[in-house]
Structure formats: structure tokens, C-alpha cells
């Protein structure tokens, strides 16, 4: 079935917008567009370290002694001897045999089974350590830690980071006495939305009630400017709904997070609460909606 002429004309309008947007995004990438508070960034670093220390100390208190989280030998002894949990096995493709593991999968499986406080604190420590390297310390420069990342010392907790010496010039540039995040912005991802890489702010955590650390407030406004926060959820659907003046799509966008759940409920004839985000019903409707939006047709 051929695409109607008026649809192709409006699609050309969208292409024109996207092409001009690409030029703007290139300038934003070169110039840096998100001002950050350097002092607050350093404060967040110490907040992560303090929170990690708290989680690590809770594990030590429950176990009864300190150990090296980076040592598989030490962690196996703690989990399967001191705490007495049943060993978790994974298949080693190289040796073609099963072996005992203490990785994140093992911790998650054991916590799901036992719901113990020591496992909760252990998992929290690992998540904080992962977030530390990805979302805070990546923007800072450090001197060398004496342990060189070989042990889990109090100074770097195994991350290899020592004292803060400045900001990472690869991701943060100083201009007019202000610091700006510099990251690569792509005009289109596979889904059609804007994307960013190295530094990918789209995956920057908003905040965490569990960790008691807000992340995005390191982005700030200059004294004579205002910072505007917007929810761009389903922005590509809204743009197409306005361009094509589609009442069905406009109604869908206005429903917000319930949009695809409500559609799935109507299409499959099951209660809406069974079509929440992440279910097969939700994914099927969302995929169909975006396929229609981007003119995907059966050959």
C-alpha cells in the first residue's frame, strides 16, 4: 500500500527540522551547554565515599571482621563459610565446568532467597561503587592512590582514585570562570529520539532515596540565568502528533505514562493493570505505535 502524498510532504517537513537540529547539536557538542558547579561536584564525590563507607562497614559489622571486596577468595570465604550460604555456581566456558561464584548475580540470587541485611548492604556497596565511577568521578581528576587500585583501601575503596586535583578536561571545560559539561549529542538514535554518548547524560540518575544522594543538581544556572527543567517523555510522539494533527496520537500523549497501557488493554481485552510498563502487552503496543510512526510497513 503506497504512502499518501500528504503524509510524504509532512515527513519532508520533519526531515527539514531534523537536519537543522543536527547543526545545532554539533555546535552544542563543541561548545558545551550544561553548566556544572565544581564545588558541588567535589561534595558529591565525598558523599558517595561516605555512603559507600557506611554500606561497607555494615557488612563488616554483620560478618564480624573486615575483608577485601575485590578478592574472590575472601568473598567466597565470607559468603559460603562465615555466613554459611549455599554456594552459587556458574558455568565456566573456558574450563567447561561449573565453578562457585560471588559476582553480582550470586549476591542478587542470595538476597532474593534470604533477604538478609548483610546482603542488602553488600549489594548497595557494589552499586554505589559502580555509580561512583560512571557518574561522579568521571568528571574529576585524581592523583595516584598509593595502593594503585590493588586493594580496597580507605582512600580509594578499590576504585584507584586518590585526592581530587581538578576537573576532567575531557568532559568539563572552563569558560568565563564557569565549568560546562561537554558531551557528544547524536541527532537520532535508532528509536528516533536524541541520544548522547561519552558523556551520556540520558543515563545520569536523577536521585536516590535509598542512597540519599541527588545527582542532577550538580547542573546549575549562572547568576544571571535560569535553569528550566522539562519532562520530555514521549517528545517524539508529541512532535509527530502536532505535525500530523492526529487526534488519536494527541490523546495518547496526553495520557502520559498510561498511554500504551491503556491501548494494550483495549487491544488485548485485559485489565489495564496487567499491561503496565515492561509487560509483553505493553512492549507489543509500543513497538507497533513506533513502527507506524516511522512508516515501517510489511514488505
Amino acid at each position: 500500500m503506497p504512502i499518501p502524498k500528504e503524509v510524504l510532504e509532512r515527513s519532508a517537513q520533519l526531515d527539514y527540522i531534523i537536519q537543522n537540529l543536527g547543526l545545532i547539536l554539533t555546535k552544542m557538542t563543541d561548545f558545551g551547554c550544561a553548566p556544572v558547579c565544581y564545588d558541588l561536584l567535589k561534595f558529591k564525590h565525598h558523599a558517595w565515599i561516605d555512603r559507600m563507607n557506611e554500606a561497607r562497614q555494615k557488612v563488616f559489622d554483620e560478618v564480624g571482621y573486615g575483608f577485601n571486596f575485590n578478592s574472590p577468595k575472601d568473598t567466597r570465604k565470607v559468603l559460603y563459610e562465615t555466613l554459611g550460604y549455599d554456594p552459587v555456581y556458574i558455568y565456566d566456558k573456558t574450563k567447561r565446568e561449573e565453578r562457585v561464584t560471588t559476582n553480582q548475580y550470586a549476591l542478587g540470587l542470595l538476597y532474593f532467597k534470604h533477604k538478609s541485611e548483610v546482603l542488602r548492604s553488600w549489594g548497595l556497596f557494589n552499586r554505589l561503587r559502580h555509580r561512583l565511577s560512571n557518574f561522579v568521578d568521571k568528571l574529576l581528576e585524581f592523583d595516584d592512590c598509593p595502593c594503585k587500585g590493588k586493594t580496597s583501601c580507605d582512600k580509594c575503596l578499590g576504585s584507584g582514585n586518590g585526592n581530587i586535583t581538578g576537573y576532567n578536561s575531557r568532559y568539563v571545560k572552563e569558560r568565563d570562570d564557569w565549568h560546562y559539561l561537554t558531551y557528544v549529542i547524536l541527532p537520532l538514535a535508532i528509536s528516533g529520539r536524541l541520544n548522547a554518548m561519552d558523556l551520556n547524560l540520558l543515563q545520569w540518575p536523577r536521585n536516590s532515596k535509598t542512597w540519599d544522594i541527588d545527582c542532577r543538581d550538580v547542573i546549575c544556572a549562572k547568576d544571571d540565568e535560569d535553569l528550566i527543567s522539562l519532562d520530555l517523555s514521549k517528545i517524539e510522539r508529541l512532535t509527530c502528533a502536532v505535525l500530523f494533527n492526529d487526534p488519536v496520537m494527541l490523546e495518547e500523549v496526553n495520557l502520559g505514562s498510561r498511554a500504551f497501557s491503556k491501548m494494550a488493554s483495549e487491544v488485548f481485552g485485559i485489565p489495564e493493570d496487567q499491561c503496565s510498563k515492561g509487560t509483553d502487552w505493553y512492549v507489543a503496543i509500543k513497538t507497533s505505535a513506533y513502527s507506524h510512526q516511522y512508516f515501517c510497513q510489511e514488505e
Side-chain angles (χ1 to χ4, degrees):
M1 175 177 165
I3 301 175
K5 181 180 178 180
E6 58 272 15
V7 174
L8 291 175
E9 290 177 350
R10 297 200 178 195
S11 177
Q13 296 175 9
L14 182 59
D15 290 340
Y16 175 77
I17 294 174
I18 291 174
Q19 290 172 5
N20 285 276
L21 177 62
L23 298 175
I24 296 173
L25 296 180
T26 300
K27 293 181 180 179
M28 291 169 60
T29 297
D30 295 337
F31 196 68
C33 58
V36 294
C37 178
Y38 179 54
D39 291 335
L40 185 56
L41 192 61
K42 292 191 293 183
F43 175 81
K44 296 295 182 181
H45 161 78
H46 294 295
W48 283 110
I49 292 293
D50 291 343
R51 195 71 180 91
M52 289 168 66
N53 273 325
E54 291 177 9
R56 186 182 64 161
Q57 190 58 49
K58 284 185 179 181
V59 176
F60 290 167
D61 292 343
E62 292 287 337
V63 173
Y65 60 88
F67 61 94
N68 185 354
F69 282 90
N70 295 327
S71 168
K73 180 179 179 181
D74 286 0
T75 52
R76 280 198 300 268
K77 179 180 178 181
V78 171
L79 281 176
Y80 305 130
E81 295 181 19
T82 304
L83 298 177
Y85 295 125
D86 295 331
V88 176
Y89 294 88
I90 60 172
Y91 184 74
D92 190 328
K93 294 183 179 180
T94 303
K95 297 182 179 181
R96 296 185 178 182
E97 62 182 12
E98 289 187 337
R99 61 178 178 83
V100 177
T101 182
T102 60
N103 60 14
Q104 192 64 26
Y105 162 75
L107 289 173
L109 189 64
L110 291 172
Y111 177 74
F112 179 80
K113 182 177 181 180
H114 299 282
K115 295 293 194 304
S116 69
E117 186 63 28
V118 62
L119 293 175
R120 180 185 180 279
S121 298
W122 196 329
L124 175 60
F125 172 80
N126 284 343
R127 291 195 300 273
L128 284 167
R129 183 162 53 174
H130 173 70
R131 292 294 193 189
L132 173 70
S133 61
N134 281 345
F135 295 107
V136 177
D137 284 3
K138 192 171 187 177
L139 304 181
L140 297 169
E141 288 284 357
F142 301 84
D143 60 11
D144 292 332
C145 180
C147 80
K148 302 296 182 181
K150 296 179 180 179
T151 62
S152 185
C153 74
D154 292 332
K155 186 175 182 182
C156 73
L157 291 173
S159 66
N161 296 325
N163 296 317
I164 299 174
T165 58
Y167 56 84
N168 188 337
S169 59
R170 179 177 179 181
Y171 303 110
V172 183
K173 294 184 178 180
E174 187 174 356
R175 188 175 69 253
D176 301 329
D177 297 326
W178 276 81
H179 299 85
Y180 293 85
L181 289 180
T182 302
Y183 48 96
V184 179
I185 309 175
L186 304 178
L188 288 176
I190 295 176
S191 64
R193 69 183 65 191
L194 291 178
N195 200 357
M197 57 186 300
D198 197 33
L199 179 74
N200 189 358
L201 291 184
L202 300 182
Q203 294 183 358
W204 191 298
R206 178 180 301 171
N207 54 53
S208 174
K209 295 180 180 179
T210 303
W211 303 339
D212 295 327
I213 301 174
D214 292 336
C215 300
R216 295 183 185 176
D217 59 358
V218 300
I219 299 176
C220 57
K222 298 172 68 173
D223 296 336
D224 56 344
E225 297 177 355
D226 294 322
L227 181 65
I228 300 176
S229 178
L230 298 175
D231 182 3
L232 299 182
S233 177
K234 297 185 177 63
I235 187 61
E236 63 271 34
R237 297 289 285 170
L238 177 58
T239 302
C240 286
V242 172
L243 283 174
F244 293 94
N245 194 26
D246 187 332
V248 176
M249 194 181 295
L250 283 171
E251 180 184 0
E252 169 204 317
V253 173
N254 289 331
L255 284 172
S257 60
R258 287 188 51 221
F260 298 125
S261 298
K262 185 174 183 297
M263 291 175 63
S265 176
E266 295 175 353
V267 171
F268 296 110
I270 56 179
E272 187 174 331
D273 58 1
Q274 296 182 18
C275 306
S276 58
K277 185 175 182 180
T279 62
D280 292 340
W281 319 110
Y282 182 97
V283 173
I285 291 298
K286 182 177 181 180
T287 303
S288 300
Y290 279 90
S291 297
H292 176 264
Q293 175 177 321
Y294 297 113
F295 310 113
C296 298
Q297 299 186 20
E298 185 177 356
E299 295 278 335

